[in-house]
Amino acid sequence: MSAPEIRVFNTMQQAKVPLAPLTPGKVGIYVCGPTVYSFVHLGNARTFTSFDVIVRYLRARGFAVKYVRNYTDVDDKIIKAAAETGEEPIALAARFVREFEADATKLRLLQPDVSPKVSETIPEIIALIVKLIANGVAYQSGGDVYFEVRKFPGYLKLSKKKLDDLLEGGGERELKGEEKRNPADFALWKAARPGEPSWDSPWGKGRPGWHIECSAMSSKYLGETFDLHGGGLDLIFPHHENELAQSEGASGKTLCNCWMHGGFLDLEGAKMSKSLGNVVRLRDALEKVDAEGLRYFFLTTHYRQQLAFSDKALHDAEGRMEYFYETLKKVDERLDAKEFIAGPLHGEPQRFLNDFHAAMSDDFNFAGALSAVSGVFAELNLLMDKPPVKDKVLVGRTLVALREVVRQMSKALGLFERKPEDWLLARRDRQVKAKGLDVAKVEAAIAARNAARAAKNFPEADRLRAELKATGVEIMDTPRGTEWKVASE
Ligand code: AMP
Ligand code: ZN
């Protein structure tokens, strides 16, 4: 079967629409990146992982993807954080860009093709604001420039909000400022205040408002109209609504063909967010759990659904990864041992790949894709432990084909990219550390047990095995000798 057409939920239409790239075979995607005033938390990490997998999958399907994810390095929150630490705002932002990159590497996120920064896009931002004023949808007021929402008929078409509701109160808006013609108008350019970073402009020294940066960066790198625009749900309003107004108000063209929004990661029933203070830093989580374990946890739920974080869920995800890697270790040992000639296969390994593509093509249904992954691993174990056919060559050939299916899924998901032994040993090291086990003692007890077995002192060998078990160590006798792991609870 050829892979099915990809359909994507478009927030604008509130429906799944076929992915129809502007240029056949190419996809341009812009994802709003981090505001770099602090360490990235698991909520941010979930959204960035979702788009990472979406980009991987599109590439696996043969699309040439141009992936742009910006850094917001000029912003009120950065200025506030810098005032607290006594750093220059641009220096503080640069420091957190480096921290973000270190964390993103640990999480094995793809490097975007372009990671532009606001501070490096000022001329384009100014040019865009000049155009908006010329088009009559923005106005200068003192040293500030505002977007005049009443002049842009499409305002609120993305968030489906009502302008009257915004005017009556509620919502995230800037209330103060008689200098605005309408309280819902938003800043494109803000006059410089002492101690803030500022640049020269036709309106005097100042800095960009929040939203204009993404309009400038997306058109700079992807053109005035591009394919996909992503971010978390919280960005629909005001950020994306305002971005849309600015871009379309300037170019008169559709900004993007499909708006994608990821659901929140919650902690104890509330959205994980820096402002609520209920955050787990990505780097702290990666001390306890492996990057692929965390990625697996994120992928257990559809990207648009809410996902609840807990230590237990993370622990379970890593346990599941252990099962996958143990399976791959066994499979790879089998495959290393023999050559398998081409020929007919047992069952239809391809059906797992078909299920996988069916799920991923349906608005990137991660959970459905993982169930196809589970299917292929169950089949691998079945073939190794209880082969339903006696023909060893046939079993081997089928293992080769299933291993290739895993490889293809792995590439699209960013999972199982490590050598199984390395992953399993690293997992064991983390468990040893968490449990405070003494590795030298474990290995001495294993050596004593092997000596007892060699001397045919089986009661002593059994006693030593039981003793190890009581400390949480499980031993496995394999053709390569005795191996051990920390037993899962
Ligand atoms: P920020 O650095 O706050 O601008 O956020 C960067 C990205 O993370 C945006 O796409 C947000 O929508 C997303 N984000 C923030 N908090 C969460 C959360 N709890 N769950 C999922 N995504 C989030
Ligand atoms: Zn943005």
Side-chain angles (χ1 to χ4, degrees):
M1 147 186 155
S2 63
E5 173 187 69
I6 298 173
R7 294 172 71 81
V8 188
F9 186 89
N10 185 351
T11 306
M12 182 67 80
Q13 280 157 265
Q14 292 291 302
K16 289 180 202 170
V17 296
L19 174 76
L22 288 164
T23 310
K26 293 190 177 176
V27 173
I29 177 167
Y30 185 91
V31 175
C32 292
T35 306
V36 278
Y37 68 103
S38 180
F39 293 97
V40 59
H41 62 71
L42 288 180
N44 310 132
R46 179 195 182 194
T47 293
F48 297 137
T49 303
S50 296
F51 287 101
D52 178 272
V53 173
I54 287 167
V55 170
R56 282 175 195 257
Y57 183 68
L58 292 174
R59 289 193 175 138
R61 286 285 300 265
F63 290 99
V65 181
K66 182 164 179 186
Y67 174 26
V68 182
R69 191 193 61 211
N70 72 295
Y71 286 112
T72 297
D73 66 342
V74 179
D75 177 83
D76 292 343
K77 290 178 196 149
I78 296 171
I79 293 168
K80 189 163 164 274
E84 284 161 15
T85 63
E87 286 169 277
E88 285 295 322
I90 294 280
L92 177 128
R95 181 160 68 83
F96 281 111
V97 166
R98 289 194 297 276
E99 300 290 9
F100 179 88
E101 284 175 351
D103 285 352
T105 304
K106 274 197 211 143
L107 186 56
R108 307 170 77 82
L109 290 181
L110 296 169
Q111 281 264 24
D113 298 291
V114 195
S115 306
K117 298 190 183 85
V118 183
S119 61
E120 294 166 359
T121 317
I122 302 293
E124 290 84 354
I125 290 174
I126 291 175
L128 195 58
I129 300 175
V130 167
K131 195 161 183 201
L132 287 168
I133 296 175
N135 287 359
V137 287
Y139 56 92
Q140 180 179 357
S141 171
D144 298 335
V145 180
Y146 294 100
F147 188 94
E148 188 165 7
V149 297
R150 283 191 192 283
K151 293 279 173 69
F152 179 71
Y155 195 57
L156 304 178
K157 68 180 174 182
L158 178 66
S159 61
K160 328 288 181 215
K161 288 185 184 291
K162 300 240 171 334
L163 196 53
D164 287 346
D165 296 344
L166 287 186
L167 299 180
E168 273 165 25
E172 299 166 63
R173 67 203 168 100
E174 296 165 76
L175 267 176
K176 64 174 169 38
E178 284 75 31
E179 65 277 3
K180 287 197 219 175
R181 292 184 188 161
N182 184 313
D185 292 352
F186 56 90
L188 300 172
W189 189 262
K190 297 178 176 183
R193 276 187 251 156
E196 294 188 358
S198 64
W199 290 264
D200 288 326
S201 80
W203 319 285
K205 275 198 172 301
R207 64 182 168 97
W210 173 25
H211 318 292
I212 193 75
E213 59 181 75
C214 288
S215 292
M217 291 187 267
S218 63
S219 66
K220 181 172 177 183
Y221 295 103
L222 295 171
E224 285 174 335
T225 303
F226 55 94
D227 299 300
L228 302 173
H229 192 316
L233 266 183
D234 52 338
L235 297 187
I236 298 177
F237 186 86
H239 185 54
H240 287 165
E241 192 70 65
N242 292 356
E243 230 185 85
L244 184 157
Q246 295 161 161
S247 296
E248 300 192 0
S251 71
K253 296 180 192 154
T254 303
L255 170 58
C256 72
N257 284 339
C258 185
W259 290 90
M260 301 179 69
H261 292 100
F264 293 144
L265 180 75
D266 288 0
L267 180 64
E268 283 151 12
K271 176 197 170 203
M272 188 177 281
S273 80
K274 284 176 243 187
S275 51
L276 289 178
N278 61 340
V279 298
V280 177
R281 287 178 179 176
L282 171 58
R283 58 180 53 190
D284 294 340
L286 291 180
E287 289 285 307
K288 293 195 224 155
V289 70
D290 155 78
E292 289 192 348
L294 179 59
R295 182 178 281 260
Y296 182 87
F297 161 67
F298 287 147
L299 297 183
T300 52
T301 301
H302 191 284
Y303 78 91
R304 283 191 291 114
Q305 306 291 314
Q306 168 270 350
L307 171 65
F309 174 79
S310 68
D311 283 337
K312 179 170 181 312
L314 210 52
H315 180 85
D316 291 351
E318 207 185 36
R320 193 81 184 128
M321 286 304 295
E322 182 175 41
Y323 155 78
F324 293 135
Y325 271 118
E326 280 176 344
T327 305
L328 291 179
K329 184 166 176 258
K330 278 195 280 179
V331 173
D332 290 350
E333 280 164 7
R334 276 288 171 100
L335 298 184
D336 284 347
K338 278 195 206 85
E339 292 259 319
F340 300 103
I341 43 164
L345 301 173
H346 167 69
E348 294 165 68
Q350 187 65 26
R351 76 180 188 275
F352 298 107
L353 207 53
N354 293 344
D355 290 349
F356 180 79
H357 284 305
M360 288 298 276
S361 302
D362 181 15
D363 191 30
F364 309 100
N365 180 353
F366 296 159
L370 288 190
S371 89
V373 168
S374 292
V376 77
F377 278 85
E379 183 75 4
L380 281 165
N381 278 300
L382 200 71
L383 266 178
M384 287 186 296
D385 299 341
K386 296 189 216 77
V389 281
K390 295 225 163 48
D391 182 347
K392 276 197 176 164
V393 175
L394 184 59
V395 168
R397 236 184 253 146
T398 309
L399 285 179
V400 173
L402 288 170
R403 186 69 178 88
E404 174 56 21
V405 169
V406 172
R407 202 190 59 76
Q408 291 194 32
M409 293 175 171
S410 153
K411 206 165 153 223
L413 297 175
L415 291 174
F416 323 123
E417 290 190 320
R418 309 281 308 282
K419 268 180 76 183
E421 306 81 84
D422 294 351
W423 191 93
L424 290 166
L425 277 181
R427 151 108 163 145
R428 192 176 81 180
D429 286 348
R430 278 191 303 280
Q431 291 173 309
V432 161
K433 217 163 113 193
K435 287 202 161 196
L437 285 174
D438 183 335
V439 175
K441 272 194 187 161
V442 170
E443 283 172 355
I446 290 174
R449 172 177 170 268
N450 286 341
R453 284 169 82 209
K456 303 220 178 316
N457 184 352
F458 296 115
E460 175 63 2
D462 288 347
R463 191 191 65 75
L464 285 162
R465 176 194 274 268
E467 200 175 277
L468 281 166
K469 190 155 189 226
T471 64
V473 172
E474 194 180 313
I475 55 182
M476 298 87 71
D477 294 313
T478 77
R480 289 168 313 281
T482 307
E483 295 183 348
W484 64 277
K485 65 176 194 173
V486 179
S488 348
E489 277 115 52

